[in-house]
Amino acid sequence: MRETKYIFVTGGVASSLGKGIISSSIGKLLQARGYKVTIQKFDPYINIDPGTLNPYEHGECFVTVDGHEADLDLGHYERFLGIETKKANNITTGRIYKSVIDKERRGDYLGRTIQIIPHITDEIKRNVMLLGNKYKFDFVITEIGGTVGDIESLPYLESIRQLKWELGRNVLCVHLTYVPYLTAAGELKTKPTQHSVKELQSAGIQPDILVLRTEHELNLGIRKKVALFCNVDEHSVVQSIDAPTIYEVPLLMQAQGLDETILKKMELPVGDTPGLGPWRAFLNRWHQAEKTEPIQIALVGKYDLQDAYKSIREALSQAGTYNDRKVEVNFVNSEKLTDDNIAEALKGMAGIVIGPGFGERGINGKFVAAKYARTHDIPTFGICLGMQCMAIEFARNVLGYADANSREMDEKTPHNVIDIMEEQKSITNMGGTMRLGAYECVLQKESKVYEVYGTEHIQERHRHRYEFNNHYKSEYEAAGMKCVGINPESDLVEIVEIPALKWYLGTQFHPEYSSTVLKPHPLFLSFIKAVIANLPHSDQE
Ligand code: GLN
């Protein structure tokens, strides 16, 4: 049996350098060589998981199939590698401490004093090795959130130091830093990298490979200098230059032999360089699509931050590529939308996505958008809260219940077309208590979704507390909004659509989480296809 190899990816100098993309790219390259690879993320914050975090803090909350609310980097891992991550793929300091404290309360430590070393570090190490031991991966790549030098990262660095000592050549550390370009001097500066490596060394870790994030080509001189000052060989200094798309990064890494260097350092056979055929085919198609006239999609939501709807943006872009068109996503702030300005706000938009969300803020704008889209027959996709808004708007303006609402927005609504389930009512713990993760859904044969999926049974990921109220189902159906996807166990409505319109569909689940580069999601493909078909003839290309 092969021993599991552990690769740690740390970051220095600045945050947001793209550790997630580098981790995913390394994973992709090793996977292409036939290895079983997974990637996990350790976040040094105290929250148990990001489920309770405002999207402004860390961007979107990703959801794994097994119902874990996770960091958005897990979305990158899944999109690049086409794997399904699990709860064990995202650990926070909060979870590490909670687990240690729970053990202490149970008396597992037999009266000993609990300390960061060895108890917290042992728990970190256990969580790193869990994936290797339990699921038998060949490679476990562990991305450490934050930047080297943060107080919060110290226990993680200490754990890496210990593992490097204990497992020798089975552990490798990749450190990602930034090489700034000083315009006035016309020079790239390596000093921050040198300092960052020193910081890592002071924690007892000698990085094996340095990936230097840069906006300008690094010449041999610079690589040699970094190699000399940081105790790594020249081959192990790799540049990560700005790319037109993040999906180019694996190829850029492969061209510099990063995967080869890793294999050599871990004493594994190198063999032939994989061709990455399907990946390259996707990229070629992406580049072709980039040259087309972009189709404008409005993303109606309240979080004005790129990362807040990361997976939706990626799924739309992938669907664009597979439909050979560039898709431009335009954020439309629902807090500012009114019946009076909607026509102006959606001018030039060929399709609308009404996004997920929580709470009352910005909700009226979503009703306004749903109504405008429905009455103007613009292809529209409602996701989670977006689907609930489609249903509420329909109840208000078609079924005649002017006061219809979700109990989330109005506790006392007399027409609770969206309501909370009985078993959810008593829950006061805000973390991890929603309907989370993959649930089964049966599609009605006479429907657009059935056509789209081409199968009756699907599974999709959820993250919500409120549900469509079945009490109103027959009224909806009689008036033209059909409930076409049902959970077979609970009878809950998962999908609504208006067949009389070109493409007006809402899902209670989040299809965006399972759209990957090589397997784009059928609903997004169909949505973009409908948007293109609905363009004025001259724009259809
Ligand atoms: N706030 C809604 C609910 O909890 C929708 C959640 C979402 O859009 N993810 O049901």
Side-chain angles (χ1 to χ4, degrees):
M1 200 191 73
R2 281 197 286 221
E3 287 170 312
T4 303
K5 309 275 176 189
Y6 297 93
I7 299 177
F8 291 94
V9 179
T10 55
V13 180
S15 56
S16 305
L17 294 181
K19 278 194 305 270
I21 306 302
I22 294 298
S23 305
S24 303
S25 300
I26 293 173
K28 180 83 209 161
L29 294 177
L30 294 170
Q31 189 193 49
R33 287 176 179 270
Y35 292 108
K36 197 173 162 211
V37 182
T38 194
I39 313 180
Q40 63 176 173
K41 170 101 190 260
F42 277 30
D43 278 309
Y45 52 69
I46 318 271
N47 305 61
I48 296 287
D49 59 47
T52 53
L53 287 171
N54 184 315
Y56 281 120
E57 297 279 319
H58 292 277
E60 107 181 342
C61 174
F62 190 76
V63 179
T64 60
V65 168
D66 64 346
H68 183 63
E69 296 175 282
D71 184 77
L72 59 76
D73 271 320
L74 271 71
H76 289 307
Y77 310 159
E78 294 203 3
R79 287 187 286 272
F80 273 73
L81 273 68
I83 52 170
E84 276 180 358
T85 55
K86 296 208 166 71
K87 186 173 181 181
N89 291 74
N90 191 194
I91 312 285
T92 66
T93 292
R95 243 172 90 194
I96 296 286
Y97 270 80
K98 183 165 189 310
S99 153
V100 169
I101 291 168
D102 286 349
K103 282 185 202 164
E104 185 270 335
R105 292 287 84 180
R106 278 203 310 266
D108 291 4
Y109 295 111
L110 306 172
R112 279 195 293 274
T113 309
I114 310 304
Q115 295 176 298
I116 293 183
I117 307 171
H119 301 99
I120 295 298
T121 47
D122 277 354
E123 184 62 16
I124 292 172
K125 280 157 58 183
R126 192 182 69 78
N127 277 284
V128 171
M129 315 252 292
L130 188 72
L131 287 170
N133 294 341
K134 193 168 159 194
Y135 301 104
K136 309 282 176 240
F137 285 101
D138 299 319
F139 280 94
V140 175
I141 300 171
T142 304
E143 177 190 345
I144 308 290
T147 347
V148 167
D150 300 344
I151 288 181
E152 287 88 350
S153 309
L154 284 175
Y156 294 100
L157 298 183
E158 169 59 16
S159 306
I160 299 174
R161 185 195 67 76
Q162 292 179 18
L163 281 172
K164 246 178 161 278
W165 176 249
E166 289 161 9
L167 302 178
R169 65 183 163 77
N170 286 345
V171 173
L172 189 127
C173 178
V174 178
H175 188 53
L176 175 66
T177 70
Y178 180 53
V179 178
Y181 180 78
L182 292 189
T183 317
E187 269 182 69
L188 286 155
K189 291 292 179 192
T190 63
K191 193 68 88 188
T193 296
Q194 296 175 38
H195 278 293
S196 174
V197 171
K198 280 215 175 75
E199 188 81 43
L200 205 52
Q201 286 166 340
S202 73
I205 300 170
Q206 168 60 47
D208 300 283
I209 293 173
L210 294 174
V211 179
L212 311 183
R213 192 78 177 74
T214 174
E215 281 131 72
H216 297 261
E217 281 292 329
L218 301 181
N219 61 31
L220 194 61
I222 293 202
R223 293 185 200 219
K224 280 191 165 163
K225 186 170 168 187
V226 171
L228 178 69
F229 279 100
C230 301
N231 298 348
V232 293
D233 50 84
E234 271 166 54
H235 291 298
S236 304
V237 182
V238 171
Q239 74 170 11
S240 172
I241 199 160
D242 282 359
T245 159
I246 51 171
Y247 301 121
E248 204 92 52
V249 179
L251 299 183
L252 296 176
M253 295 299 124
Q254 192 189 47
Q256 297 174 83
L258 175 58
D259 49 341
E260 231 182 279
T261 305
I262 291 175
L263 293 173
K264 281 185 188 150
K265 283 190 182 292
M266 301 191 108
E267 293 174 16
L268 288 167
V270 172
D272 295 338
T273 306
L276 294 168
W279 195 262
R280 283 177 200 275
F282 168 82
L283 278 171
N284 285 340
R285 211 162 168 183
W286 183 88
H287 280 289
Q288 288 308 319
E290 272 303 280
K291 293 182 199 145
T292 63
E293 177 70 24
I295 25 179
Q296 305 298 333
I297 302 291
L299 172 55
V300 180
K302 66 177 168 182
Y303 307 112
D304 190 2
L305 177 83
Q306 286 266 341
D307 276 356
Y309 303 99
K310 187 83 196 156
S311 296
I312 293 180
R313 286 174 183 274
E314 291 298 317
L316 286 168
S317 155
Q318 289 154 4
T321 298
Y322 283 95
N323 276 290
D324 301 305
R325 283 299 287 261
K326 179 181 166 88
V327 165
E328 229 162 63
V329 179
N330 304 270
F331 175 75
V332 175
N333 191 340
S334 64
E335 284 183 271
K336 298 194 179 129
L337 279 183
T338 64
D339 281 323
D340 295 331
N341 65 20
I342 180 97
E344 186 55 30
L346 295 183
K347 204 165 152 199
M349 297 296 143
I352 303 169
V353 174
I354 308 180
F358 291 84
E360 212 188 337
R361 187 166 62 85
I363 195 76
N364 279 326
K366 289 191 174 174
F367 298 144
V368 167
K371 179 176 166 199
Y372 187 84
R374 181 178 58 78
T375 51
H376 291 76
D377 199 1
I378 304 170
T380 300
F381 196 172
I383 299 177
C384 209
L385 182 62
M387 170 269 200
Q388 296 176 355
C389 289
M390 282 175 156
I392 295 165
E393 186 280 320
F394 195 85
R396 289 182 180 183
N397 299 313
V398 180
L399 303 184
Y401 300 123
D403 51 7
N405 215 333
S406 159
R407 202 176 289 282
E408 181 180 12
M409 314 304 160
D410 178 3
E411 187 87 45
K412 299 201 173 60
T413 176
H415 294 104
N416 51 339
V417 293
I418 304 293
D419 205 348
I420 195 157
M421 298 284 294
E422 212 39 58
E423 58 265 31
Q424 290 269 339
K425 279 185 185 156
S426 55
I427 293 173
T428 50
N429 176 1
M430 291 309 279
T433 52
M434 285 181 266
R435 183 144 83 101
L436 285 167
Y439 282 85
E440 203 176 324
C441 170
V442 178
L443 306 179
Q444 209 182 82
K445 288 213 165 141
E446 305 298 306
S447 68
K448 190 188 299 294
V449 275
Y450 179 74
E451 235 173 78
V452 169
Y453 280 93
T455 173
E456 211 180 333
H457 293 266
I458 59 162
Q459 284 215 342
E460 293 282 4
R461 302 180 208 189
H462 291 247
R463 180 176 183 243
H464 55 100
R465 202 165 263 124
Y466 296 84
E467 307 281 354
F468 183 94
N469 185 345
N470 276 337
H471 175 74
Y472 293 93
K473 192 169 154 191
S474 51
E475 276 183 79
Y476 271 93
E477 300 226 308
M481 183 178 263
K482 306 285 182 191
C483 302
V484 289
I486 306 290
N487 177 286
E489 278 154 39
S490 57
D491 208 29
L492 290 169
V493 172
E494 311 281 40
I495 310 170
V496 295
E497 67 179 44
I498 300 184
L501 298 178
K502 287 179 194 125
W503 210 100
Y504 194 85
L505 196 148
T507 60
Q508 186 58 81
F509 51 78
H510 291 265
E512 70 273 21
Y513 294 140
S514 46
S515 189
T516 71
V517 170
L518 296 184
K519 241 175 126 207
H521 195 285
L523 276 177
F524 283 92
L525 287 176
S526 161
F527 171 60
I528 294 297
K529 195 170 164 202
V531 170
I532 295 171
N534 193 40
L535 291 171
H537 250 300
S538 55
D539 293 341
Q540 286 193 10
E541 293 193 17

